[in-house]
Structures are given as structure tokens and as C-alpha cells.
């Protein structure tokens, strides 16, 4: 039985691999922005169309006109050669020169016997040289020499007559060559530039609302306010902007409803817990009630942790936070724990985040490291696009199979480390929730110190 790979190779064929390589090469070379791709959609067909038109014009019309003009000039020169051959006397030659100048617009001269100059090198753009040489060879059938390069406005032709004399003919270039064809190219290129300018301005106007919508969606994903956004542009873009506004309003209403519900639940539960504490206090110092007191304290901590996680600090506005101040706070906390902390800041000190929430994010990770390690290293790198903070420790770490589970609310990792002091399993869940509300994430890995590495990466 044929294997799956052999069947797949038979179905795809050798050409499919080349096609895939070509598409990958094009994807790497082509721009990724909508504005640049839209310009290519406009520019490429226009350039191809004009190239085809110019090629057809140059090869057909231009060549045909030049051939007919060169044939006419060659016929005039052939008539002059016949006159000189028929009337070889000097007086007759003067009359031939006069007729050529007045009637044919050609300046001629008959020189004594001599040799023709060596052939000149072929010019790069040799349509006139080629066509005129072919016409002279076909109609006059005598040795000749032409110069279509020396003087841009004059074409010189030398023909060796039967008696050894040399006939020199000077003709204007436009008599043998379609010299005004460049006007067509100028008009074509000029019109293209005007059309491209209009297309670029129009595309910029169409792309700007899309960029505004993308910026508004990105800011909303980071938890920032976007009061100044309004749908603009084409109908489809306006519909997308309106759908985004409606989605944002629904999400904000849900957040407000959840916050209001949590406020009521918090008030009711705290009232009950306060009543429990009061009754336990009135019961006196009874050893049998110590475990009940501890349960009430644990319930209080769990309630506060759950409310903080569910609230997510969403109501906080974006502001400025100094990384140096954050590191100083973490160093003070490390001193209280009796741990060794090393910090490093690379890049700008000021960052734009929700200060309280972001401080809690880093503090949760640092506290988790203090609890299970002796040495901790925190490094912050602030670039133009990203803020990356790594928290390394030399603790027992977290098994790789459990590194995603620890971000689940109320998940408890009994083998190595827990998520907060109360054991509710919300520390890392809150940290990732805050990071994602800033448009970033928190991931766990192996630390060079031998323990756990927590990496926070948020856009700036």
C-alpha cells in the first residue's frame, strides 16, 4: 500500500513546490501595509498598460513613420544621384545642388574622388541608423557612409559614385526620423503622474479612517479611553466603526453591571463576616474557637482576592509610572522578606500604563518569587514598541506541564509554590489579567538562576 507521503507527492506534483516557493518569496518582498498594497494595485496595472502601449507605439507606429520618412529621403537622394550621373558637367552639378536645396530641402556637395570614412559604431538607439541604411542599400545600391549621431539635428550621408567622386548629403533629422514622438511619451508620463497623485491622495483619505479604527481598537484593548473616535470614510468603514462603538458600549455596560454586582456582594458578605468576627470576639479567648477565627480570616482574604480579580482594576485611568520607583518599592519589599534582589532598567524610565494595576502585576510576580527563592533578579527593557520585564529566581520553579494551569483562578500547586499567601490561587491569574488588559501577556519559563522566569511583555 502506498504511503500517505507518496500519495500526497503524486497529487501535488513537482510544480506545486515551485509555486509555493514563489508565493513565499512574493510575500516576503511585498509590503504588508494596506496603504502600500493599495498603491501597488493602482500603480502596477497603470505601469504595465503604459509599457505595453509604449512598446507597441515604439515598435509599430514609430518604426513605420520613420521607415516612410527615411524611404522618402532615400528616394530624393536616389533622384539626385541619377541627375548627377546623367549630367556630369560642373554647370549641371550647380543646378542639381540648387534644386536639391530649394525643392528637396537637402544640402549636397560633390567632392573629387576619395575613400569613404570607416564605419562608425552603431548607436545604442539605432532605429534611424538601421532603417536608413536598409533603404539606401535597397534603392541606391552604392557604397555609402552615414552619421546619425554627430549632430543631433543633421544626418550626414556620403555615397561613392561610379566615377569615384563622393556625394555628401546633409538632411535635417526630422526629414528621416519621427522626432516629435517624444511628445506622446511626455503626455503619457505626465498624465500618469497626475493620476497617481490623485490616487495617492484618495487612498490616504480612505486609509486614514481604517488606521483610526485600528488605533481605537488597540487603545480599548489596553483599557484606555477613546472618547474622540468617530466613524469616517467609506460606508463599509463607517459600518465597521459603528459596530466597534456598539461593541465597546456593550462591554462597558457589562463591566459596569459586574462592578455594581460585586459592590453589592462585597457589602453583604463583609457585613456577615463582620458579624462573625463580633460574635467570636464576644465569645472570649476560647481555644476551641481559634480554628474558627482562622477560617473567618481565610474567608476574608479569599473574598478580597476574588473581588480584586473580578474587578481587574478596570476603572483606573492610564497614567505615568516610573520604573525606578517601581524597582525601589520592590527592593523595599525584598528587604522585608530578607531576600536578595538585583534590578536592571534599560531604556526610558517613564512608562504609560495604569499605575496601580501595573504595580500590582509586578508585585504579585515579585512576591511569588520572594516566597519561594532566596535570590531574585528583575530586569526591565523599555523599547519604542514594547516593555519587557523579566522576574528570575533560584527557587524550585514550576513544572512545564503546570505553567498554564497556574494562571487559572483558584488553581493550587501544592508541589512547589502557591499563588498568594492566602492560598486562594489568584496571584498569577490577577497578574495575567492585568497584563492582558494592557494588551500584553505573562508567560513562564526556565530561569538562568535555576528557578522560574516570569516574563511580562506589554506594548508601549
Amino acid at each position: 500500500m502506498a504511503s500517505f507521503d507518496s500519495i500526497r507527492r503524486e497529487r501535488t506534483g513537482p510544480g506545486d513546490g515551485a509555486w509555493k516557493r514563489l508565493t513565499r518569496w512574493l510575500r516576503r518582498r511585498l509590503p504588508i501595509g494596506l496603504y502600500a498594497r493599495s498603491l501597488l494595485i493602482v500603480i502596477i496595472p497603470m505601469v504595465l498598460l503604459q509599457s505595453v502601449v509604449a512598446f507597441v507605439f515604439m515598435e509599430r507606429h514609430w518604426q513605420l513613420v520613420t521607415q516612410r520618412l527615411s524611404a522618402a529621403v532615400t528616394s530624393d537622394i536616389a533622384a539626385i544621384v541619377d541627375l548627377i550621373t546623367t549630367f556630369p558637367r560642373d554647370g549641371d552639378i550647380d543646378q542639381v545642388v540648387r534644386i536639391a536645396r530649394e525643392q528637396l530641402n537637402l544640402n549636397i556637395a560633390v567632392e573629387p574622388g576619395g575613400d569613404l570614412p570607416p564605419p562608425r559604431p552603431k548607436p545604442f538607439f539605432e532605429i534611424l541608423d538601421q532603417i536608413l541604411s536598409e533603404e539606401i542599400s535597397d534603392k541606391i545600391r552604392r557604397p555609402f557612409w552615414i552619421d546619425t549621431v554627430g549632430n543631433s539635428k543633421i544626418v550626414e550621408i556620403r555615397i561613392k559614385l561610379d566615377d569615384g567622386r563622393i556625394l555628401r548629403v546633409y538632411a535635417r533629422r526630422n526629414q528621416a526620423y519621427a522626432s516629435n514622438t517624444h511628445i506622446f511619451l511626455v503626455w503619457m508620463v505626465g498624465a500618469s503622474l497626475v493620476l497617481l497623485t490623485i490616487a495617492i491622495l484618495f487612498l490616504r483619505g480612505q486609509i486614514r479612517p481604517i488606521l483610526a479604527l485600528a488605533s481605537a481598537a488597540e487603545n480599548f484593548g489596553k483599557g484606555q479611553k477613546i472618547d474622540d473616535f468617530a466613524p469616517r470614510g467609506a460606508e463599509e468603514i463607517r459600518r465597521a466603526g459603528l459596530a466597534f462603538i456598539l461593541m465597546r458600549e456593550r462591554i462597558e455596560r457589562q463591566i459596569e453591571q459586574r462592578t455594581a454586582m460585586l459592590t453589592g456582594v462585597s457589602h453583604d458578605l463583609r457585613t456577615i463576616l463582620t458579624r462573625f468576627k463580633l460574635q467570636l470576639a464576644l465569645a472570649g479567648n476560647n481555644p476551641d474557637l481559634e480554628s474558627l477565627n482562622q477560617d473567618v480570616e481565610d474567608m476574608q482574604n479569599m473574598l478580597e482576592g476574588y473581588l480584586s480579580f473580578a474587578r481587574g482594576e478596570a476603572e483606573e485611568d492610564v497614567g505615568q509610572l516610573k520604573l525606578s520607583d517601581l524597582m525601589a518599592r520592590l527592593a523595599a519589599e525584598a528587604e522585608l522578606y530578607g531576600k536578595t534582589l538585583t534590578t536592571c532598567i534599560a531604556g526610558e524610565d517613564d512608562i504609560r500604563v495604569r499605575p496601580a494595576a501595573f504595580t500590582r502585576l509586578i508585585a504579585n510576580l515579585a512576591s511569588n518569587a520572594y516566597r519561594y527563592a532566596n535570590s531574585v533578579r528583575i530586569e526591565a527593557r523599555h523599547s519604542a514598541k514594547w516593555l519587557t520585564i523579566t522576574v528570575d529566581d533560584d527557587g524550585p520553579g514550576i513544572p512545564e506541564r503546570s505553567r498554564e494551569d497556574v494562571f487559572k483562578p483558584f488553581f493550587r500547586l501544592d508541589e512547589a509554590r502557591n499563588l498568594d499567601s492566602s492560598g486562594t490561587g489568584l496571584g498569577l491569574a490577577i497578574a495575567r489579567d492585568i497584563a492582558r488588559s494592557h494588551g500584553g501577556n505573562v508567560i513562564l519559563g526556565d530561569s538562568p538562576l535555576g528557578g522560574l522566569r516570569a516574563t511580562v511583555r506589554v506594548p508601549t
Side-chain angles (χ1 to χ4, degrees):
M1 179 178 292
S3 64
F4 174 77
D5 292 337
S6 62
I7 295 175
R8 185 180 62 180
R9 285 194 296 269
E10 292 177 359
R11 290 183 177 180
T12 56
D16 291 345
W19 174 254
K20 290 181 179 179
R21 289 193 297 270
L22 177 61
T23 55
R24 286 197 297 267
W25 183 85
L26 288 176
R27 282 197 297 267
R28 289 195 297 267
R29 297 300 188 276
L30 291 176
I32 61 176
L34 178 61
Y35 182 58
R37 290 189 174 186
S38 300
L39 286 179
L40 288 180
I41 292 174
V42 174
I43 293 174
I44 291 178
M46 183 177 296
V47 171
L48 290 178
L49 176 61
Q50 292 190 350
S51 299
V52 171
V53 171
F55 177 78
V56 172
F57 182 83
M58 298 277 287
E59 289 296 321
R60 300 296 177 86
H61 177 75
W62 199 350
Q63 185 174 5
L64 179 61
V65 173
T66 300
Q67 186 173 6
R68 291 181 177 178
L69 292 175
S70 297
V73 172
T74 304
S75 298
D76 294 341
I77 296 175
I80 293 173
V81 171
D82 289 342
L83 288 174
I84 294 174
T85 304
T86 305
F87 304 102
R89 294 177 301 178
D90 293 339
D92 296 333
I93 296 297
D94 294 337
Q95 294 298 323
V96 173
V97 172
R98 180 186 61 80
I99 293 172
R101 182 176 63 253
E102 295 178 356
Q103 303 299 326
L104 304 178
N105 290 325
L106 298 175
N107 291 322
I108 66 172
V110 179
E111 298 178 350
D115 295 328
L116 295 175
R120 295 179 61 90
K122 296 293 184 181
F124 176 76
F125 190 66
E126 58 180 9
I127 182 173
L128 175 60
D129 192 284
Q130 178 182 354
I131 293 177
L132 189 58
S133 298
E134 292 175 356
E135 292 292 332
I136 295 175
S137 299
D138 183 53
K139 292 184 178 180
I140 300 179
R141 298 178 183 178
R142 286 178 171 83
F144 68 94
W145 176 89
I146 64 174
D147 179 14
T148 60
V149 180
N151 191 331
S152 60
K153 295 183 179 181
I154 299 296
V155 175
E156 181 182 357
I157 303 170
R158 299 185 187 183
I159 299 174
K160 190 170 186 179
L161 301 177
D162 295 337
D163 56 2
R165 292 181 297 174
I166 301 298
L167 171 64
R168 302 183 66 171
V169 181
Y170 298 93
R172 292 195 304 272
R173 178 178 288 267
N174 57 11
Q175 287 182 259
Y177 176 70
S179 59
N180 61 345
T181 311
H182 67 280
I183 298 177
F184 169 79
L185 299 177
V186 171
W187 274 100
M188 185 174 63
V189 173
S192 301
L193 293 177
V194 173
L195 293 177
L196 286 178
T197 303
I198 296 174
I200 290 173
L201 295 177
F202 178 77
L203 285 176
R204 286 185 60 185
Q206 296 300 311
I207 295 298
R208 193 176 291 112
I210 300 177
L211 296 178
L213 175 59
S215 177
E218 182 180 4
N219 292 336
F220 181 68
K222 296 178 182 179
Q224 301 177 5
K225 293 184 178 180
I226 48 173
D227 298 331
D228 57 344
F229 174 73
R232 293 176 300 173
E235 179 182 0
E236 292 80 4
I237 303 176
R238 289 176 179 269
R239 290 175 59 185
L242 181 60
F244 167 74
I245 291 177
L246 295 177
M247 178 193 69
R248 183 193 66 180
E249 292 176 352
R250 287 194 298 269
I251 293 175
E252 289 177 348
R253 283 198 303 268
Q254 291 176 359
I255 294 175
E256 292 175 359
Q257 292 173 359
R258 186 187 69 173
T259 303
M261 181 190 68
L262 291 175
T263 302
V265 171
S266 173
H267 179 269
D268 295 341
L269 291 181
R270 283 171 178 169
T271 300
I272 296 175
L273 288 176
T274 302
R275 195 158 54 240
F276 283 172
K277 289 183 178 181
L278 179 60
Q279 291 176 358
L280 290 173
L282 293 176
N285 296 327
N286 189 345
D288 297 333
L289 298 179
E290 290 182 1
S291 60
L292 184 58
N293 282 319
Q294 185 62 40
D295 290 340
V296 172
E297 289 294 332
D298 291 344
M299 187 178 297
Q300 178 75 27
N301 293 331
M302 292 177 64
L303 175 62
E304 295 296 335
Y306 172 71
L307 291 177
S308 297
F309 169 74
R311 190 183 309 114
E313 307 292 343
E315 67 277 2
E316 184 183 4
D317 293 333
V318 175
Q320 295 290 335
L321 176 65
K322 288 185 175 295
L323 289 173
S324 57
D325 295 342
L326 177 60
M327 295 300 179
R329 176 175 176 177
L330 297 176
E333 185 177 354
E335 187 176 354
L336 292 177
Y337 277 93
K339 307 296 183 179
T340 302
L341 175 64
T342 304
T343 61
C344 176
I345 300 175
E348 292 292 333
D349 190 23
D350 293 332
I351 57 176
R352 186 169 177 79
V353 292
R354 296 201 299 275
F358 195 81
T359 300
R360 185 179 186 188
L361 159 63
I362 306 302
N364 279 8
L365 299 177
S367 298
N368 199 49
Y370 297 154
R371 192 172 302 114
Y372 297 98
N374 294 319
S375 297
V376 180
R377 183 176 66 194
I378 302 179
E379 181 178 353
R381 294 186 176 274
H382 187 196
S383 64
K385 294 183 177 181
W386 294 95
L387 170 64
T388 304
I389 299 180
T390 57
V391 180
D392 294 305
D393 64 54
D394 61 352
I398 294 178
E400 186 176 357
R401 64 179 183 276
S402 302
R403 287 175 184 170
E404 285 299 319
D405 293 333
V406 296
F407 289 107
K408 299 177 182 178
F410 308 110
F411 180 84
R412 302 184 61 170
L413 188 65
D414 297 329
E415 298 85 21
R417 60 171 83 201
N418 209 336
L419 303 180
D420 54 26
S421 58
S422 63
T424 58
L426 292 173
L428 288 179
I430 293 174
R432 174 169 278 187
D433 185 64
I434 295 174
R436 287 181 173 176
S437 70
H438 284 81
N441 199 4
V442 179
I443 57 175
L444 302 180
D446 295 324
S447 172
L449 301 181
L452 182 70
R453 162 171 282 190
T455 303
V456 180
R457 194 165 185 259
V458 297
T460 57

